[in-house]
């Protein structure tokens, strides 16, 4: 069960708390997020799935820490990515979540919200792949579809894969 990050492979594992402050900031506690993958900072932060025959599901949340974060589905074959933990913001800043990829297999992402710190999340769908948003989305930013398909609706648990 691994998901590859651009440049290196990593496992989502079962951590109970991540404390990674951007740029090595000593204020690490400010960025502590239970059960989350922190995405942001740097020039082009990308969380990319490159599976080839096995679908992967995680309930781990993705928490945006920088201005922009890209979640890319580059799987091939029958591999499907399901990020059911959703996405939120860890601070009171504006963030842009870009959902993109080239996979011919639909990807699923859980609830997208501004988070408890009242940041604003904008969502951009780009690339040729299809992404399905499940759950009750609670983001106050904009939504733009620049490429591919974005499915939004009230999908029952049994209809996540659709």
């Amino acid at each position: 069960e691994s998901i590859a990050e651009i440049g290196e492979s990593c496992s989502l594992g079962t951590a109970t708390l991540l404390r990674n402050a951007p740029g090595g900031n000593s204020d690490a506690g400010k960025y502590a997020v239970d059960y989350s993958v922190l995405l942001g900072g740097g020039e082009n932060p990308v969380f990319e799935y490159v599976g080839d025959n096995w679908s992967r599901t995680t309930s781990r949340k993705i928490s945006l820490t920088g201005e922009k974060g890209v979640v890319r589905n580059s799987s091939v074959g029958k591999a499907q990515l399901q990020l059911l933990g959703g996405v939120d913001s860890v601070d009171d800043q504006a963030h842009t979540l870009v959902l993109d990829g080239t996979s011919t297999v639909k990807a699923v992402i859980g609830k997208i919200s501004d988070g408890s710190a009242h940041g604003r999340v904008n969502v951009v769908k780009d690339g040729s792949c299809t992404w399905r948003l499940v759950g009750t989305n609670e983001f106050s930013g904009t939504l733009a579809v620049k490429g591919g398909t974005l499915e939004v609706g009230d999908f029952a648990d049994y209809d996540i894969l659709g």
Side-chain angles (χ1 to χ4, degrees):
E1 288 194 16
S2 64
I3 291 188
E5 194 176 318
I6 290 205
E8 65 182 85
S9 294
C10 64
S11 173
L12 290 178
T14 56
T16 58
L17 186 66
L18 296 178
R19 292 179 179 266
N20 295 329
N25 186 328
S26 62
D27 190 15
K30 176 179 175 184
Y31 297 95
V33 182
D34 287 333
Y35 306 104
S36 290
V37 172
L38 299 178
L39 177 62
E43 290 182 31
N44 191 21
V46 177
F47 181 95
E48 182 173 24
Y49 178 58
V50 294
D52 59 4
N53 282 314
W54 298 98
S55 296
R56 298 291 183 227
T57 300
T58 183
S59 59
R60 184 79 65 92
K61 183 189 312 179
I62 295 175
S63 293
L64 299 171
T65 63
E67 183 178 318
K68 174 182 166 186
V70 178
V71 179
R72 180 173 296 144
N73 181 20
S74 299
S75 65
V76 295
K78 299 177 185 178
Q80 182 184 47
L81 174 62
Q82 297 180 61
L83 301 171
L84 302 181
V87 178
D88 72 1
S89 166
V90 298
D91 57 30
D92 62 356
Q93 304 302 307
H95 304 277
T96 298
L97 169 67
V98 179
L99 301 173
D100 82 354
T102 57
S103 178
T104 58
V105 179
K106 183 183 305 179
V108 176
I109 195 158
K111 171 181 157 181
I112 299 173
S113 74
D114 291 334
S116 61
H118 307 293
R120 186 181 76 240
V121 175
N122 302 298
V123 178
V124 175
K125 168 60 188 81
D126 207 353
S128 60
C129 68
T130 296
W131 279 88
R132 175 175 278 188
L133 302 184
V134 298
T136 303
N137 293 288
E138 299 173 345
F139 61 94
S140 62
T142 61
L143 173 64
V145 178
K146 294 183 176 182
T149 302
L150 179 65
E151 297 179 352
V152 180
D154 186 17
F155 301 105
D157 289 342
Y158 60 84
D159 194 30
I160 287 176
L161 302 178

